[in-house]
Amino acid sequence: MSDKYIIEGGRPLRGEINVSSAKNAVLPIIACCAMIKDMVVLHDCELLSDVENMLGIIKSLGGKYEITGDSIVIDCKGLHFSAVNHELTGALRSSVFILGPLLARFRRAEISYPGGCDIGLRPIDLHLDGLKKLGVIIDEDNEKLRSDGRRLHAGNVTLAFPSVGATENLIMTATLTEGRTVLKNVASEPEIVDLQNFINAMGGNVHGAGTSTITVDGVKRLHGGTYSPIRDRIVAGTYLIAGSMCGGKVTVHGISSDWLTALTEKLRYAGVKITERPESITVESNGSLRMINKIETKPYPGFPTDLQAPITALMSSSIGRGYIIENLFENRFRHVAELIKMGADITVCGRAGTVRGAHLHSAQVRAEDLRGGASLVLAGLKAEGKTEIMGVHHIDRGYYKLEEKISLLGGKIKRVKISCV
Ligand code: UD1
């Protein structure tokens, strides 16, 4: 059973919040610790449920960790080779990140196939094709993936598509592989730059992250150290959308405004006043927004697929008609049926959605995935009346203490604990 949120909407949001650490930066960094025999301390690292699951994988392989406040101490000296537990890989799609570090350290890895998830099939063929080009022999059956990296070598890999996860797995594998590996057509998300910065802070030699070509000069070992991962641009974007659609003035601190240009451009078009400073963004609006004409999700620096559901909530309550094209994932419109229960006027055909502005009202809805769940919170904050959102465990995967942050901004939101009897 999962907690639920009760939101009393229709209030403007005002205030300033510090954004928590980026889940999508923290997960590969924790996986990367599997190939470091010294102690690593991650500071300012909030404990989301996905982060706990990744730590669970480290522990299941013999690594240790300790959490003190927002710091996580990870000690993988005693980590040993073994197959990664099927249930753990099932609970976390990002478990695939462990493949590269295990190959780098033990020259072999055995994981269960991460399979599909709530937003689409999410195959890992690009990860595997890249590894094969570096000499890894992969034996796949329906459930298990056995990788033999005894002939692992440096090389050139051009990805067929700039997959975030494949880019990260290949960087980590190449980090402890002698010689120069050149990765082309890679993803350029800020979280990949952060992984590069982490690896280099631990003695690695990775260059080019943030562009479409990354060069990895293999080193013999990484040493331990301390690191603070970057803040979460998607979480920041969600609060900026909240402030824009509810009206008021919201400032998010801790992120570079460059990371959210694709969003702020659209918010400006909608009539939101945006003030950007080097490490913060402020939105100011009266809550009555012009419809964004078109959102099309693309790899960074294009409009992020992870903000598609939140911006759909904003568009649902804007004035006019707009279009959404979801290019990244094939099943990322599950929030639409729930938004419609709240009065939204949206039609979806395959990967395209048409949104006609409507008056949102309160309802009882269910989060079916992480970002879709966030979009329901936004709609609940906008809609007058009491909205009940079930399935909050999905939201907990990526939003740290969301109810506290929203309350800080003056929103009325309550978490109701639902315990098993
Ligand atoms: C990461 C993010 C996720 C975000 C996504 C796209 C993490 C932990 N998660 O996911 O929040 O929504 O980037 O920005 O960082 N694909 C293949 N074969 C592969 C790999 C990917 O076909 O081997 C396809 C996927 O199905 C999808 C597209 O490529 O259609 C993008 O996927 P990818 O960039 O790999 O996303 P993730 O790393 O899974």
Side-chain angles (χ1 to χ4, degrees), residues 245 291 312-318 320 335-347 354-365 375-376 379-380 382-384 387:
M245 63 192 279
M291 179 65 81
T312 303
L314 177 140
M315 289 168 72
S316 298
S317 61
S318 299
H335 49 287
V336 165
E338 302 303 297
L339 288 174
I340 288 173
K341 289 184 193 161
M342 301 182 70
D345 183 354
I346 307 171
T347 40
T354 305
V355 188
R356 289 167 207 86
H359 188 74
L360 297 182
H361 56 74
S362 59
Q364 227 188 35
V365 287
S375 79
L376 300 179
K382 174 78 180 175
E384 272 167 34
T387 292

Side-chain angles (χ1 to χ4, degrees), residues 24 94 122-127 163-165 305-306 328-329 332:
N24 290 353
S94 306
R122 302 183 88 170
I124 56 165
D125 54 316
L126 299 170
H127 301 236
S163 150
V164 173
T305 174
D306 288 350
L328 272 291
F329 294 106
R332 219 168 192 185

Side-chain angles (χ1 to χ4, degrees), residues 255-420:
I255 49 137
S256 160
S257 55
D258 291 349
W259 298 345
L260 283 170
T261 310
L263 171 68
T264 47
E265 225 172 56
K266 296 293 179 186
L267 293 179
R268 267 198 191 102
Y269 177 90
V272 179
K273 183 179 171 211
I274 312 267
T275 311
E276 292 165 286
R277 291 183 200 85
E279 292 225 334
S280 73
I281 304 178
T282 302
V283 291
E284 251 178 292
S285 123
N286 62 10
S288 169
L289 300 179
R290 170 188 182 196
M291 179 65 81
I292 295 168
N293 50 351
K294 187 173 158 195
I295 292 286
E296 188 169 359
T297 63
K298 291 190 180 150
Y300 187 84
F303 195 91
T305 174
D306 288 350
L307 284 177
Q308 181 261 107
I311 204 79
T312 303
L314 177 140
M315 289 168 72
S316 298
S317 61
S318 299
I319 301 158
R321 184 166 65 173
Y323 301 95
I324 297 173
I325 299 168
E326 173 53 63
N327 287 314
L328 272 291
F329 294 106
E330 67 274 14
N331 190 19
R332 219 168 192 185
F333 280 122
R334 294 175 79 192
H335 49 287
V336 165
E338 302 303 297
L339 288 174
I340 288 173
K341 289 184 193 161
M342 301 182 70
D345 183 354
I346 307 171
T347 40
V348 172
C349 181
R351 286 172 181 259
T354 305
V355 188
R356 289 167 207 86
H359 188 74
L360 297 182
H361 56 74
S362 59
Q364 227 188 35
V365 287
R366 174 172 292 279
E368 300 284 1
D369 60 60
L370 165 58
R371 308 299 172 189
S375 79
L376 300 179
V377 171
L378 299 180
L381 289 168
K382 174 78 180 175
E384 272 167 34
K386 218 179 241 189
T387 292
E388 228 179 278
I389 303 174
M390 315 294 288
V392 165
H393 66 284
H394 288 294
I395 301 170
D396 290 337
R397 287 185 42 223
Y399 292 87
Y400 185 71
K401 296 189 176 167
L402 175 135
E403 63 275 21
E404 282 182 19
K405 305 258 185 210
I406 295 286
S407 301
L408 256 176
L409 297 176
K412 215 161 178 212
I413 178 168
K414 192 166 81 181
R415 177 186 283 260
V416 178
K417 292 259 171 224
I418 300 183
S419 48
C420 299

